[in-house]
Amino acid sequence: MSSRLRYLPLGGLGEVGINMWALEWEGKVVVVDAGLMFPQEDMLGIDLVLPDISYLLHGGREVLGIFLTHGHEDHIGGLPFALKKLNVPVYGTRLTLGLLKPKLKEHRILRESDLREVRVGDSVQLGPFRVETISVCHSIPDAVALAIDTPVGRVVYTSDFKLDPAPPDGLPTDMARFRRLGDEGVLLLLSDSTNAEREGRSGSERDLHAPFEKIFTEAPARIVVANFTWSAWRHSSDAAWPSSAAAFGKTSEPRASSASSTCRTGSPSRWPMSTGFRPRSSCS
């Protein structure tokens, strides 16, 4: 029987959260991301939903490593639970690993975890796979796409991305590299961008500056700001809000929601992947 390249979606396909997938060639496996998902309203008593990694734990497969594309919870939040059963090298950019380390410390597995930092443009050889990191713009810095060379062709994963011509860090999505990859030939393109099916363009994070100034100018009293923690670029504006408010004779009180929690792993799911169930965890 001839060798075949397998693409294995372990979570996140057709749903928001628990992003995790893998490529397999002759029993050698490279994994991309390991996120979590917050429960839907019908999941009573469930605090976190995790990817089902049972396929990786059985069948004599060798997992060579896990590549992380960026530091959002839906891409790294499930990794501490996975590493307790599958302690393999983890690759990520500096910020991504920096966001991961406190989670591993909370789960008391930081010391034994094998974290390996990569930079944009680096290539790492993992068995039959060669993984290249490519710069993409996202709502969090240090995000990357992946170009994975396999024995039968190249797989390109954009991860979450945004086509912002003027991002706050001055590092837009590297369209030139994507163009060259397309010219060279791509076996499989995996693309993910929230609300990509909607027409029109998303605004730049820089577009928020003027509206904030207007709000500060016209606000009759104290300003209370609530912010989603995953929008890291907006937090860079948070730091300036108190001084900006003071300039207009106002006081500001930033409030940020948190995606973190203290969790303990529950019993793993015994349902097959086709049922749509995932291993659950409960949080204290």
Side-chain angles (χ1 to χ4, degrees):
M1 181 178 179
S2 60
S3 299
R4 300 180 63 181
L5 178 68
R6 291 183 175 180
Y7 162 69
L8 308 163
L10 303 175
L13 191 63
E15 56 193 348
V16 177
I18 58 173
N19 293 286
M20 188 176 192
W21 60 275
L23 290 177
E24 180 181 5
W25 176 265
E26 296 182 345
K28 309 289 186 181
V29 180
V30 62
V31 178
V32 177
D33 289 333
L36 58 74
M37 181 173 70
F38 297 111
Q40 299 174 359
E41 59 184 12
D42 61 339
M43 298 179 181
L44 301 179
I46 301 300
D47 292 306
L48 297 177
V49 184
L50 305 173
D52 186 345
I53 66 169
S54 57
Y55 181 86
L56 305 177
L57 303 176
H58 306 293
R61 299 174 184 86
E62 180 184 0
V63 178
L64 304 172
I66 301 175
F67 258 86
L68 304 176
T69 58
H70 62 279
H72 280 164
E73 288 289 297
D74 59 336
H75 288 258
I76 69 170
L79 189 58
F81 302 96
L83 288 182
K84 291 176 182 178
K85 300 179 179 180
L86 194 70
N87 191 7
V88 297
V90 177
Y91 299 82
T93 57
R94 177 174 297 183
L95 178 61
T96 301
L97 295 183
L99 293 170
L100 174 64
K101 287 178 181 178
K103 301 178 186 297
L104 300 180
K105 184 177 181 180
E106 179 183 352
H107 286 258
R108 301 180 180 179
I109 58 172
L110 177 58
R111 185 184 299 272
E112 58 265 35
S113 297
D114 184 0
L115 305 182
R116 305 186 184 186
E117 183 180 322
V118 294
R119 296 173 296 179
V120 171
D122 283 353
S123 292
V124 178
Q125 189 73 41
L126 292 177
F129 308 103
R130 186 169 183 82
V131 185
E132 174 193 352
T133 57
I134 305 165
S135 176
V136 292
C137 174
H138 190 27
S139 56
I140 188 171
D142 237 6
V144 294
L146 302 176
I148 305 176
D149 290 328
T150 78
V152 291
R154 177 177 289 146
V155 176
V156 174
Y157 176 49
T158 66
S159 187
D160 297 351
F161 70 95
K162 186 175 183 178
L163 299 180
D164 187 344
D169 65 349
L171 298 173
T173 297
D174 190 352
M175 295 303 296
R177 180 56 183 145
F178 282 114
R179 188 175 296 110
R180 291 195 299 272
L181 290 171
D183 292 340
E184 295 168 4
V186 174
L187 175 67
L188 174 65
L189 172 65
L190 304 168
S191 183
D192 190 0
S193 187
T194 304
N195 296 323
E197 70 278 4
R198 296 175 59 181
E199 295 184 2
R201 283 180 170 269
S202 299
S204 171
E205 294 295 326
R206 293 180 183 272
D207 295 341
L208 295 172
H209 296 174
F212 283 145
E213 294 289 344
K214 185 175 186 295
I215 291 171
F216 291 139
T217 303
E218 299 176 355
R222 173 178 293 185
I223 303 167
V224 179
V225 179
N227 191 27
F228 194 42
T229 54
W230 291 2
S231 296
W233 287 129
R234 299 181 189 180
H235 276 284
S236 65
S237 298
D238 286 357
W241 287 343
S243 58
S244 298
F248 295 109
K250 310 294 193 304
T251 60
S252 68
E253 188 174 327
R255 304 283 190 184
S257 62
S258 175
S260 63
S261 59
T262 303
C263 304
R264 59 182 182 273
T265 307
S267 299
S269 172
R270 298 300 181 185
W271 290 286
M273 292 177 62
S274 60
T275 64
F277 286 91
R278 297 290 185 268
R280 266 55 170 173
S281 70
S282 57
C283 296
S284 57

